Structures are given as structure tokens and as C-alpha cells.
Amino acid sequence: MTLLDIKGLKVYYYLPDAVVRAVDKVDLSISDGEILGIVGESGSGKSTLGLSIVKLVPPPGRIVEGEILFERVNLVKLPEKEMSKIRGKKISMVFQDPLTSLDPLMRIGDQLVETIVTHQNLSEEESRKMAKKYLEMVGIPGDRLRDYPHQFSGGMRQRAMIAMAIATSPRLVIADEPTTALDVIVQAQIMKLFSKLREELGISFIIITHDISIVMEVADKIGVMYGGHLVEYGSVEELYEEPLHPYTKELLRAVPNIEVKDVELRYIPGDPPDLSNPPPGCRFHPRCPHAMDICKEEIPDKRFRNEHMVRCHLYG
Ligand code: ATP
Ligand code: SF4
Ligand code: MG
């Protein structure tokens, strides 16, 4: 069943002298127990998209248009009082730096117990048992409950952070660059952990990353963002077998062991667009080796091959 359905979402930052179109007309959905990877280079609007789902876009940013249907309720219209019952409970977040979310002065176990008591309505004693279970579930021995965050390695802190995120018994976890600070082996372990938690608890995950290779292994679907637009969206198999958007091909080219058919496209010069003054038409056109006249004028519509979506004038 569809858990989250985003329609026509626009999120802009209103600076004194400019409007930054960070997320522009994005549509996407995620079903129960699904893992969605959101990929794209720095400044493409990934974090803004993630934050908008929990309605934490910082000012001067705001949701300008669109719907975010979570369990069929439009979060965009939901008053803050109702939203605060969903945020950090039904939808929880994992960030890049666990130290921003873990209290350095509190034992890991106490932090977990506090979260469980608050969100799951269990007694202190039951919560302590659950805390141990969650810690073990994320691969940390239960006897480390008494440790403080600084006694953990970077990878363990990120695991503890994930234990905190699942301790609210959420339906959806949004993880924004959850492994960027970690070495590749730990990155892969954390990705496997997401996959395991999806199997065991049926939680859906949105994993935001600039590195498509780390989500290819675990995600069911991938959404590719470029300059605030979702330019391609499809199953991992579809993207792997036949990436459609020239930008997606470029991202995949950087992944070892993936052969991309289009040989002309080796290196894309240029910078990501300035979202306060994005290029007209397709925002990728200044860097695209396939750009045609129409690309400079018209924003490409969504085109579908079954469920596989692309926004590019090459497919018309
Ligand atoms: P990164 O990979 O670097 O984390 P991102 O894909 O998460 O990038 P966002 O952080 O969502 O991208 O930024 C999208 C655009 O919105 C960028 O142009 C950025 O400069 C702008 N932006 C983000 N946060 C703010 C803010 N608080 N005020 C003004 N502009 C912002
Ligand atoms: Fe390239 Fe045009 Fe497709 Fe944009 S719409 S990616 S410029 S071919
Ligand atoms: Mg970001």
C-alpha cells in the first residue's frame, strides 16, 4: 500500500534578493516496507525534500505548493500540533552526524529508554528490555547500554542513532547522508542494516545520498534529483538496465562495475545550476551533450515507460 505520496511539491527559500527554487514540482511515492534512494549532487534539493516531509524546512524556506500525503493525510495542511504527533514518531530522521541527535551527557541506554517510554507507552522496565533489543537489532551488544556516545566509534554512534530512530516504532525513516562520514566498509554495513530492519520491522526508508553506488544495493527504487527537479524515477533494476536521463547515466558511470551504454558521455563539464536563477527549460541543458533547442526553452514533461519516469526531451 502507498505510505507516502508527494504531488507537485515546490519548496522555495525566500532570500532578501532572490528566491531559491530548491524543490520544484516533485512527485514521488513510497509503499509500505519499501526503500527509496534519493540521489543527486550537492545543492540538488535532496535535504530540502527530506525536511519538507517532516515539515522542518528552516526559514526563509517554505512549502509553496503541492501535497505530501502520508497515510492519506496531507501533511502540508496539517496544523503543527498534529504534525508534532507524526514527526519523530511515525516518521523519524537519521542525519549524517549522530552527535547532533545524541545527547553527549546521557547514557545511550537512558536515551533509548526515554524515547521508548515517550513513544510506545511502555513501562520503564519494559522499555529497558526493548532498548536492549533495539541495540542488539542494530548490531551493538546489549551490555553497551550503559555507555556514553563518546565511548562509541563513528559507525556505532550511527547505529545507536538508527536504534533511536526505530525506537519510536515509525512507519518511515528518512536518512539524510547517513553514512557519508563513515568508511566504505561501515557504509555497506549500515545499508545492510536498513535492509534488515525493513525485513524485520516492515519500516519504509528514504535514503538520501550524493553517492548512487551505496543505495543501488539496498534500494527498491531510486529518484534522481538535478537542480531541484526529480529528473528520473524508477526501480533499481530499471535504472541499472537502462538509465534514461543523461545525468543519471553520468552518475552511474562513476560507479565501478556498471557499464553504461552511451559512450560519448564521459565527463560532464560545468557546475550545478544556481537555483536562485536556474537556466530556463531543462536545468541540465548547459551541461548536456545532447541538448537541443527545445531543451533551452521548455521544461521537459514527465514521460513514462511503465513505472519508470524520466523528464528529458530525448523521450517524446
Ligand atoms: P547537499 O548534497 O550539499 O546536502 P542537497 O541536495 O541536500 O545538497 P539542499 O541542501 O536541499 O541540497 O539545497 C538545495 C538548494 O537550497 C541549494 O541551492 C541551497 O543553497 C538552498 N538552501 C538550502 N538550505 C537553505 C537555507 N536555509 N536558506 C537558503 N537557501 C538554502
Ligand atoms: Fe539533455 Fe535536453 Fe534531456 Fe535536458 S531535456 S537532459 S538538455 S536532452
Ligand atoms: Mg543535503
Side-chain angles (χ1 to χ4, degrees), residues 245-246 282 284-285 288 290-292 295 300 312-314:
H245 200 281
C282 170
F284 190 54
H285 85 249
C288 180
H290 303 289
M292 304 165 277
C295 304
C312 170
H313 289 301
L314 290 174

mmCIF file of all heavy atoms in Angstrom, residues 245-246 282 284-285 288 290-292 295 300 312-314, ligand 2:
data_model
loop_
_atom_site.group_PDB
_atom_site.id
_atom_site.type_symbol
_atom_site.label_atom_id
_atom_site.label_comp_id
_atom_site.label_asym_id
_atom_site.label_seq_id
_atom_site.Cartn_x
_atom_site.Cartn_y
_atom_site.Cartn_z
ATOM 1 N N HIS A 245 17.907 9.227 -18.313
ATOM 2 C CA HIS A 245 18.332 10.629 -18.295
ATOM 3 C C HIS A 245 19.855 10.726 -18.436
ATOM 4 O O HIS A 245 20.585 9.987 -17.775
ATOM 5 C CB HIS A 245 17.882 11.284 -16.988
ATOM 6 C CG HIS A 245 17.842 12.771 -17.065
ATOM 7 N ND1 HIS A 245 18.979 13.534 -16.957
ATOM 8 C CD2 HIS A 245 16.819 13.628 -17.263
ATOM 9 C CE1 HIS A 245 18.640 14.819 -17.078
ATOM 10 N NE2 HIS A 245 17.335 14.897 -17.261
ATOM 11 N N PRO A 246 20.338 11.649 -19.285
ATOM 12 C CA PRO A 246 21.796 11.795 -19.433
ATOM 13 C C PRO A 246 22.517 12.015 -18.094
ATOM 14 O O PRO A 246 23.640 11.537 -17.915
ATOM 15 C CB PRO A 246 21.934 13.030 -20.335
ATOM 16 C CG PRO A 246 20.679 13.046 -21.142
ATOM 17 C CD PRO A 246 19.598 12.511 -20.226
ATOM 18 N N CYS A 282 15.142 22.773 -19.576
ATOM 19 C CA CYS A 282 15.743 21.701 -18.773
ATOM 20 C C CYS A 282 16.924 22.294 -18.019
ATOM 21 O O CYS A 282 17.826 22.875 -18.619
ATOM 22 C CB CYS A 282 16.203 20.569 -19.685
ATOM 23 S SG CYS A 282 17.207 19.352 -18.819
ATOM 24 N N PHE A 284 19.380 20.988 -16.864
ATOM 25 C CA PHE A 284 20.639 20.309 -17.160
ATOM 26 C C PHE A 284 21.205 20.748 -18.509
ATOM 27 O O PHE A 284 22.326 20.385 -18.862
ATOM 28 C CB PHE A 284 20.382 18.793 -17.152
ATOM 29 C CG PHE A 284 21.626 17.946 -17.218
ATOM 30 C CD1 PHE A 284 22.668 18.113 -16.320
ATOM 31 C CD2 PHE A 284 21.739 16.956 -18.179
ATOM 32 C CE1 PHE A 284 23.803 17.327 -16.379
ATOM 33 C CE2 PHE A 284 22.874 16.156 -18.251
ATOM 34 C CZ PHE A 284 23.908 16.342 -17.344
ATOM 35 N N HIS A 285 20.451 21.586 -19.266
ATOM 36 C CA HIS A 285 20.868 21.798 -20.656
ATOM 37 C C HIS A 285 22.261 22.415 -20.827
ATOM 38 O O HIS A 285 22.984 22.050 -21.750
ATOM 39 C CB HIS A 285 19.789 22.552 -21.476
ATOM 40 C CG HIS A 285 19.821 24.047 -21.378
ATOM 41 N ND1 HIS A 285 18.847 24.773 -20.736
ATOM 42 C CD2 HIS A 285 20.711 24.964 -21.849
ATOM 43 C CE1 HIS A 285 19.139 26.052 -20.823
ATOM 44 N NE2 HIS A 285 20.266 26.197 -21.480
ATOM 45 N N CYS A 288 24.517 19.409 -20.856
ATOM 46 C CA CYS A 288 24.113 18.160 -21.500
ATOM 47 C C CYS A 288 24.641 18.074 -22.935
ATOM 48 O O CYS A 288 24.384 18.958 -23.746
ATOM 49 C CB CYS A 288 22.589 18.056 -21.507
ATOM 50 S SG CYS A 288 22.024 16.533 -22.277
ATOM 51 N N HIS A 290 23.595 16.281 -25.198
ATOM 52 C CA HIS A 290 22.503 16.006 -26.144
ATOM 53 C C HIS A 290 21.559 17.185 -26.302
ATOM 54 O O HIS A 290 20.513 17.046 -26.941
ATOM 55 C CB HIS A 290 21.686 14.807 -25.665
ATOM 56 C CG HIS A 290 22.500 13.572 -25.472
ATOM 57 N ND1 HIS A 290 23.015 12.865 -26.514
ATOM 58 C CD2 HIS A 290 22.918 12.939 -24.341
ATOM 59 C CE1 HIS A 290 23.697 11.829 -26.043
ATOM 60 N NE2 HIS A 290 23.660 11.871 -24.729
ATOM 61 N N ALA A 291 21.881 18.321 -25.671
ATOM 62 C CA ALA A 291 20.915 19.425 -25.623
ATOM 63 C C ALA A 291 20.474 19.865 -27.025
ATOM 64 O O ALA A 291 21.282 19.994 -27.944
ATOM 65 C CB ALA A 291 21.510 20.600 -24.864
ATOM 66 N N MET A 292 19.164 20.070 -27.145
ATOM 67 C CA MET A 292 18.568 20.531 -28.415
ATOM 68 C C MET A 292 17.960 21.907 -28.143
ATOM 69 O O MET A 292 17.905 22.338 -26.989
ATOM 70 C CB MET A 292 17.465 19.559 -28.837
ATOM 71 C CG MET A 292 17.953 18.128 -28.961
ATOM 72 S SD MET A 292 16.592 16.932 -29.027
ATOM 73 C CE MET A 292 16.192 16.695 -27.317
ATOM 74 N N CYS A 295 15.312 22.134 -25.471
ATOM 75 C CA CYS A 295 15.780 21.940 -24.088
ATOM 76 C C CYS A 295 16.023 23.271 -23.384
ATOM 77 O O CYS A 295 15.934 23.374 -22.160
ATOM 78 C CB CYS A 295 17.059 21.125 -24.069
ATOM 79 S SG CYS A 295 16.913 19.534 -24.884
ATOM 80 N N PRO A 300 11.096 19.795 -19.610
ATOM 81 C CA PRO A 300 10.520 18.545 -20.131
ATOM 82 C C PRO A 300 9.417 18.009 -19.223
ATOM 83 O O PRO A 300 9.532 18.077 -17.998
ATOM 84 C CB PRO A 300 11.709 17.577 -20.163
ATOM 85 C CG PRO A 300 12.904 18.320 -19.702
ATOM 86 C CD PRO A 300 12.521 19.679 -19.261
ATOM 87 N N CYS A 312 12.967 14.382 -19.833
ATOM 88 C CA CYS A 312 14.013 14.690 -20.803
ATOM 89 C C CYS A 312 13.387 14.703 -22.186
ATOM 90 O O CYS A 312 12.614 13.812 -22.526
ATOM 91 C CB CYS A 312 15.117 13.636 -20.710
ATOM 92 S SG CYS A 312 16.312 13.745 -22.048
ATOM 93 N N HIS A 313 13.740 15.717 -22.981
ATOM 94 C CA HIS A 313 13.159 15.859 -24.319
ATOM 95 C C HIS A 313 13.614 14.779 -25.297
ATOM 96 O O HIS A 313 13.092 14.686 -26.394
ATOM 97 C CB HIS A 313 13.487 17.247 -24.891
ATOM 98 C CG HIS A 313 12.739 18.356 -24.210
ATOM 99 N ND1 HIS A 313 11.366 18.410 -24.183
ATOM 100 C CD2 HIS A 313 13.167 19.444 -23.522
ATOM 101 C CE1 HIS A 313 10.979 19.506 -23.514
ATOM 102 N NE2 HIS A 313 12.065 20.141 -23.099
ATOM 103 N N LEU A 314 14.615 13.994 -24.915
ATOM 104 C CA LEU A 314 15.026 12.896 -25.797
ATOM 105 C C LEU A 314 13.928 11.858 -25.922
ATOM 106 O O LEU A 314 13.922 11.046 -26.839
ATOM 107 C CB LEU A 314 16.288 12.217 -25.251
ATOM 108 C CG LEU A 314 17.596 12.993 -25.317
ATOM 109 C CD1 LEU A 314 18.692 12.202 -24.602
ATOM 110 C CD2 LEU A 314 17.998 13.262 -26.759
HETATM 111 FE FE1 SF4 B 2 19.690 16.936 -22.137
HETATM 112 FE FE2 SF4 B 2 17.583 18.087 -23.287
HETATM 113 FE FE3 SF4 B 2 17.286 15.803 -21.943
HETATM 114 FE FE4 SF4 B 2 17.803 18.058 -20.664
HETATM 115 S S1 SF4 B 2 15.984 17.601 -21.840
HETATM 116 S S2 SF4 B 2 18.743 16.112 -20.288
HETATM 117 S S3 SF4 B 2 19.181 19.101 -22.072
HETATM 118 S S4 SF4 B 2 18.475 16.138 -23.794
#
